Structures are given as structure tokens and as C-alpha cells.
Amino acid sequence: MSGSRSLAAHYHQALRDDEVLEQIRRHYPDGATPFQLAPLDQLHIGGLKASKRLFERLNPVSQPRVLDIGAGLGGLVRLGASLGFSMTGLDITHRFNALNRKIGKLAAPDFDYAVVTGDARRLPFSCESFDAVIFQHSLMNMPELTPVLEEANRVLRPSGRLVLHELTQGDSHIALHYPVPWAASAEHTHLLTLEALSASLNACGFMDLEIENVSDEARAWRSRQRDKERDTEAPVLSPQWVFGERFAAMGKNLLTNLTNRAIEVVEISGRC
């Protein structure tokens, strides 16, 4: 099985597409807010608050055209559209993109955004198509960083913005506990140190990097989520609709990896 197919299998094996849509229809017949959808489509560390913080680095007037690479189920693109940005979401997993579109039509019909299936190493967009590119918990699944960053640079207009909310290798060098939401094993984990990631960004034409380590906040957030998940009352939407019963172990390991500092969470912004 090729790398992209086995990665898709990791994300697809427990995805309950029709049940997700029926759950939204039943509980949110008049549409759903980003907050209501967040347990399903904001699966990164930090949830909706972390996504909002990324858009605070951008301006919908001066930087209206935004590309989200690794869009998943579309939480970031719907949030950006609600804030006035012209959003495009790209993901290599077509089944995610199909469900993303259906969720948007059902839960957020007033938000206009594009969804594209494609490979971040060969973006299907012309040069200087966007004012900003966002990666949110996407690079960790990408084994070839240089062509991805070069493509991001190519599709950005001069002085366009790059915004990242990503995981890096922690200083402790403790082996990761698996499974985690992005990988069942080390096969699909491609974490760099912060120093290596910064060097790659510079080498691919990104400058004036602003870097913030938000790991302490991330650990606190994941701890609060663990407490919520212990509630016996079934939630309307949750990560289990995507990951199935595996999420109990994924969530536990995620907090362990954060606590052991095997992984760190960083926000980076720069310009091309």
C-alpha cells in the first residue's frame, strides 16, 4: 500500500459519514455554529480557540484569499469564511473532502468556500493565487517538506503570509506513544525539531518568522478535554465519529506525549 493510501486508510477506517450527517440534521436542523461543530471538525490540539488565533494574524481586507492545506473535515475553512475570508481547503483524502462539502451545505449553507482534492507537493493552483497559506497540524503527516513549502511559496503573492499551527519534536527525545490522532504508528509521523522546521522555512523563501511555543496552553487544553470525555452522557458530536473506539487510546497518548514533552506545539507566521 502506498504512503498516501495507507494514510487515508488510517483516517477512513472508522469514519461514519452518513451517521455524522444524520446527527447534524437531527440536532442542528437550522444550521450549526463553528462552536457546535468543533468536536467533529476542529480535531487539532487547542480546538476552535487555536483556529481563531491563526486568523487573528491575518486581515480579511488586505489578505482575503486564504488556502488551508490539510483541511480535513473543513473546520478551519468554515471558520475563516464566517470571518470574511475567501477560503479554499485542500486535502489529499477525497473522502474527507466529500464529507466536508456535505457538512458545509447542511450545517453552514451561508459560508461560501472551495474544497479541492490534491497533493500539497503539487498544488493545483496558479502562481500568486493566494494572500495567505495556513498549515494546521498537517506537516506532521508530510514526509517531503521542501516541495510542500516551495509550492506554498509559489502560490502566494509577493509578501504573502504563511501561518502554521504545528507539532514539533520535543526536547526530551522520548519516544512517542501510539496511536495518536494523526498516526497509528511511526510510519506516518514526520516531526521535525523547531530548529529544523525554521531552517526549512527560511531555505524555501520564508522570512521574518514569528515563533510562539504554545505547548503549556496545549497541555492544559488536552487535560480539560480528557475530563469532558469522561462524561458518561453521549455528546452530539465528538472525535469518535471520525476515529471510532481508537480515540480513547489516542487521546490518552496525546496527553502523555505532551506531558512528557515528546512533542511541542508551535505557532509560526512569516512572509514569502
Side-chain angles (χ1 to χ4, degrees):
M1 184 180 293
S2 73
S4 60
R5 288 200 302 272
S6 61
L7 178 62
H10 166 73
Y11 285 114
H12 289 177
Q13 63 179 276
L15 184 60
R16 297 151 63 183
D17 314 54
D18 293 337
E19 293 176 65
V20 164
L21 297 173
E22 181 56 34
Q23 191 81 338
I24 294 172
R25 287 190 192 97
R26 182 184 306 122
H27 292 275
Y28 308 119
D30 298 322
T33 66
F35 176 80
Q36 290 168 329
L37 291 175
L40 174 75
D41 65 9
Q42 301 278 346
L43 295 178
H44 46 269
I45 298 170
L48 186 62
K49 183 179 179 180
S51 295
K52 288 180 177 178
R53 199 162 52 231
L54 297 183
F55 285 110
E56 290 172 359
R57 297 177 180 268
L58 303 174
N59 186 313
V61 176
S62 60
Q63 298 149 331
R65 302 168 300 168
V66 179
L67 172 64
D68 173 20
I69 296 181
L73 293 182
L76 192 69
V77 291
R78 279 186 287 275
L79 176 62
S82 75
L83 296 172
F85 292 91
S86 176
M87 297 295 302
T88 299
L90 177 136
D91 204 282
I92 199 169
T93 52
H94 181 69
R95 190 170 162 193
F96 268 5
N97 294 329
L99 184 54
N100 180 355
R101 293 188 186 96
K102 291 176 182 177
I103 291 172
K105 290 179 180 179
L106 184 64
D110 296 332
F111 299 156
D112 185 22
Y113 60 92
V115 181
V116 178
T117 299
D119 190 326
R121 296 168 296 184
R122 295 177 292 276
L123 294 176
F125 309 110
S126 59
C127 297
E128 302 182 15
S129 299
F130 297 95
D131 303 300
V133 171
I134 295 178
F135 290 91
Q136 187 173 39
H137 286 35
S138 304
L139 295 179
M140 58 199 182
N141 276 143
M142 298 181 183
E144 299 177 76
L145 184 60
T146 296
V148 171
L149 295 180
E150 289 177 342
E151 278 290 272
N153 193 315
R154 180 184 67 80
V155 302
L156 278 169
R157 65 166 172 79
S159 295
R161 302 294 296 178
L162 180 74
V163 182
L164 281 71
H165 176 219
E166 288 290 343
L167 301 184
T168 61
Q169 289 182 14
D171 293 334
S172 67
H173 303 295
I174 294 176
L176 266 67
H177 288 69
Y178 290 97
V180 286
W182 68 89
S185 68
E187 177 187 5
H188 293 302
T189 293
H190 304 285
L191 298 179
L192 299 176
T193 64
L194 177 57
E195 292 75 16
L197 176 56
S198 300
S200 293
L201 289 168
N202 288 149
C204 293
F206 293 100
M207 59 191 76
D208 299 335
L209 300 181
E210 299 177 5
I211 301 172
E212 183 178 0
N213 189 313
V214 294
S215 298
D216 288 342
E217 183 175 341
R219 280 185 280 274
W221 175 85
R222 182 57 218 157
S223 181
R224 292 193 300 271
Q225 294 303 111
R226 175 198 58 190
D227 294 340
K228 290 179 182 178
E229 290 155 8
R230 289 172 174 169
D231 191 337
T232 56
E233 183 178 350
V236 174
L237 297 171
S238 82
Q240 287 198 7
W241 294 85
V242 178
F243 296 114
E245 296 304 319
R246 297 177 300 163
F247 184 72
M250 290 176 173
K252 178 182 178 181
N253 290 336
L254 190 58
L255 183 57
T256 297
N257 292 328
L258 286 165
T259 302
N260 291 345
R261 298 186 181 273
I263 55 175
E264 299 285 331
V265 186
V266 297
E267 292 178 7
I268 304 175
S269 65
R271 64 181 179 89
C272 66

